[in-house]
Amino acid sequence: KRCGPQNTECTANAPLLYRAIISGEPYPVRALITADSNPMVTQPNTKLVYKALRALDLYVVFDMWMTPSAELADYVLPVASWLEKPSLWTGHGQSNYILAGERAVPAAIAGEYDHRNDYDIWRGLGMRLGQKEFWPWGSLEEAYSYRLAPLGYTFAEFMERGGYDFPPAEYHKYKKIGFATPTGKVELYSTVLEKLGYDPLPAYREPSVSPISQPELAKEYPLILITGKRHMPFYHTEFRQIDSLRKRHPDPLVQIHPETASKLGISNNDWVWIETPTGRARQRCQLFAGMDPRIVSAQHGWWFPELPGEEPWLHGVWESNINVCLDDDPRHCNPILGVWPLRTFLCKVYKCKKVV
């Protein structure tokens, strides 16, 4: 059944995907497209990601910037920014509001630039692959009109109303058919997990890499590494190439408790190495007393657009990218969801002797 261009996501487990690319098991994966992404910086175990991307027969990137990942691609397609394409946001189908926006500037001007939006690229590929029946909407505006049709609007009409609305109560699907669970109710006891043979209730499991589960490893790597902390003015790996934003936040920072730093001979603003059994990255120390002394909190998403893009530099992807330090071996991942550890890895921290 054709469900239309809804905000529905289907994803493969990234650690298993990269291993399949390298090994060919359980089946070969020879081509990959990444859209508005930067797996060399956003995915764990950067060395493995690099090996996988280099093993592909074809790697295509849709992006606005030449990121470390884009530098490895066979083809880079310049996509439209949020100002160059319309938008329709429903919070992945979970929100009780609709927010829309028109394109502010053309996505293409003849003789100057041609930025295709993601929908145009995916539709073009689908049409070439014989999927015409699944792509009846000729533009993103037409696709959004299809989604708004149950409310009685086209996309243009919705924008004339202001582009923002709380749908009437009768359109809240949970009022009619319940929630998207087998019982139609909010499930604290998951019948889906139960059917799949998992514990239907939350349960604590000690991380596979922690001072408790691996006390011998903790003797060499005594600190617990937390990654993924958000930091303004950046969003994940974006905006390092914008000079005004880099001036506000020029360097990657790792927060360390003052007592811990003192024992390690580290002062505020010192450059330090963060090392795990998987790899190491360097960031600048930021003393922070509001944390457990056993914890260090490293910023994620760092690369340096000002450094050379060609290999081996790849815009400094090996310098301060904390994902170089993370291991995504399946035995460390969540056994149900496959999520890798972001806040439980063991590390050691020591002062850089010299920063070039």
Side-chain angles (χ1 to χ4, degrees), residues 16 21 33-34 45 49 51 57 67 75 122 125 144 148 205 232-233 239 245 248 300 330 338:
L16 295 181
I21 292 172
I33 298 174
T34 56
N45 200 343
V49 175
K51 184 177 180 180
D57 294 332
T67 66
Y75 299 96
W122 289 118
L125 180 59
Y144 289 159
L148 291 166
R205 292 186 180 89
M232 297 296 287
F239 307 141
L245 301 185
R248 292 175 56 189
H300 77 298

Side-chain angles (χ1 to χ4, degrees), residues 158-179:
F158 189 71
M159 289 308 306
E160 289 177 2
R161 298 182 72 257
Y164 185 84
D165 195 16
F166 285 90
E170 60 265 27
Y171 289 106
H172 293 173
K173 60 184 179 182
Y174 72 90
K175 294 282 189 178
K176 293 183 176 181
I177 62 174
F179 290 95

Side-chain angles (χ1 to χ4, degrees), residues 62-238:
F62 309 164
D63 213 321
M64 296 183 289
W65 318 103
M66 286 302 295
T67 66
S69 304
E71 295 287 358
L72 297 174
D74 298 293
Y75 299 96
V76 180
L77 304 183
V79 293
S81 73
W82 65 276
L83 291 170
E84 298 171 315
K85 60 185 177 182
S87 62
L88 184 66
W89 175 251
T90 59
H92 301 286
Q94 306 300 314
S95 300
N96 66 339
Y97 64 87
I98 301 174
L99 181 63
E102 297 175 297
R103 64 181 79 204
V105 295
I109 296 179
E112 294 189 27
Y113 64 87
D114 184 3
H115 301 163
R116 304 298 178 93
N117 66 55
D118 295 17
Y119 179 80
D120 290 337
I121 298 174
W122 289 118
R123 183 176 186 270
L125 180 59
M127 299 290 275
R128 291 290 295 272
L129 293 174
Q131 300 175 356
K132 183 178 179 179
E133 62 176 305
F134 300 110
W135 300 89
W137 310 282
S139 67
L140 199 48
E141 286 88 349
E142 289 182 21
Y144 289 159
S145 291
Y146 170 85
R147 293 181 61 191
L148 291 166
L151 297 179
Y153 305 122
T154 65
F155 181 74
E157 291 168 343
F158 189 71
M159 289 308 306
E160 289 177 2
R161 298 182 72 257
Y164 185 84
D165 195 16
F166 285 90
E170 60 265 27
Y171 289 106
H172 293 173
K173 60 184 179 182
Y174 72 90
K175 294 282 189 178
K176 293 183 176 181
I177 62 174
F179 290 95
T181 63
T183 61
K185 301 177 181 179
V186 174
E187 292 193 358
L188 302 180
Y189 181 104
S190 174
T191 57
V192 173
L193 292 181
E194 184 178 45
K195 186 176 180 179
L196 293 173
Y198 295 106
D199 189 340
L201 291 172
Y204 176 78
R205 292 186 180 89
E206 184 66 26
S208 62
V209 182
S210 78
I212 296 175
S213 61
Q214 297 202 37
E216 289 301 313
L217 185 65
K219 292 178 181 178
E220 182 176 359
Y221 301 95
L223 299 171
I224 298 172
L225 175 62
I226 290 177
T227 70
K229 180 177 179 291
R230 303 297 184 264
H231 48 286
M232 297 296 287
F234 306 124
Y235 181 75
H236 294 304
T237 74
E238 291 184 294

